[in-house]
Amino acid sequence: MEVILIDTSVWINVFKGIETKASVFLRDSSNISAVTCPVVVQEVLQGIVSDKDYNIVSAHFSNLIRLPANSYHYAREAASLYRTLRKKGITIRKPNDCLIAIYAIKHDISLLHDDKDFNHISAYSELKTVKL
């Protein structure tokens, strides 16, 4: 079973019923183990308006494997990645994407995403993404 970190962009599409290559892959794949990290949980939950939906989605994330990390070390690594990309003329729209990428890189797992910034990150780092 392949372990994959699922980005916020995919979860939002899944929960809204929006079909993209990544959301369909996640929905239809039975041979993957979806994992999460704190920034993805925060990004998904902070956008939920209704308490009922919040509780449902929060419970869903409670059942996923949570990637461990030294948060300050990962924050420095994410800042370094962001700076490296800026020096190459690439500005990542949401700096938290660098932190999500670091979780995948440090745990040597692929990232499933619907966010073009991860294509830029993977071009200039060790980030592996799920090819669809």
Side-chain angles (χ1 to χ4, degrees):
M1 183 163 294
E2 185 178 8
V3 177
I4 298 174
L5 176 58
I6 312 300
D7 178 52
T8 307
S9 57
V10 178
W11 285 121
I12 289 171
N13 289 335
V14 165
F15 293 132
K16 288 185 173 183
I18 299 170
E19 290 197 355
T20 64
K21 288 181 181 180
S23 66
V24 169
F25 174 85
L26 178 59
R27 183 192 68 206
D28 294 346
S29 293
S30 58
N31 62 337
I32 66 165
S33 180
V35 299
T36 195
C37 64
V39 66
V40 170
V41 174
Q42 177 192 348
E43 287 181 340
V44 172
L45 293 178
Q46 71 191 12
I48 299 174
V49 177
S50 93
D51 290 342
K52 178 183 175 188
D53 290 342
Y54 179 92
N55 291 332
I56 291 168
V57 174
S58 182
H60 175 78
F61 278 104
S62 295
N63 293 323
L64 295 179
I65 296 168
R66 299 173 188 171
L67 294 175
N70 175 325
S71 54
Y72 289 99
H73 178 73
Y74 277 30
R76 284 190 299 275
E77 295 264 347
S80 179
L81 176 59
Y82 184 87
R83 292 180 70 244
T84 297
L85 293 167
R86 285 284 305 262
K87 289 175 186 177
K88 295 183 181 301
I90 300 164
T91 301
I92 302 302
R93 296 170 295 148
K94 296 177 292 180
N96 274 346
D97 286 350
C98 290
L99 185 55
I100 293 166
I102 290 298
Y103 271 90
I105 291 167
K106 292 298 181 184
H107 290 277
D108 194 30
I109 59 177
S110 294
L111 177 72
L112 179 65
H113 68 90
D114 273 325
D115 183 334
K116 66 182 179 182
D117 280 340
F118 288 111
N119 296 332
H120 298 301
I121 295 170
S122 67
Y124 295 99
S125 74
E126 297 175 17
L127 176 64
K128 296 181 291 188
T129 60
V130 175
K131 305 298 181 212
L132 301 175

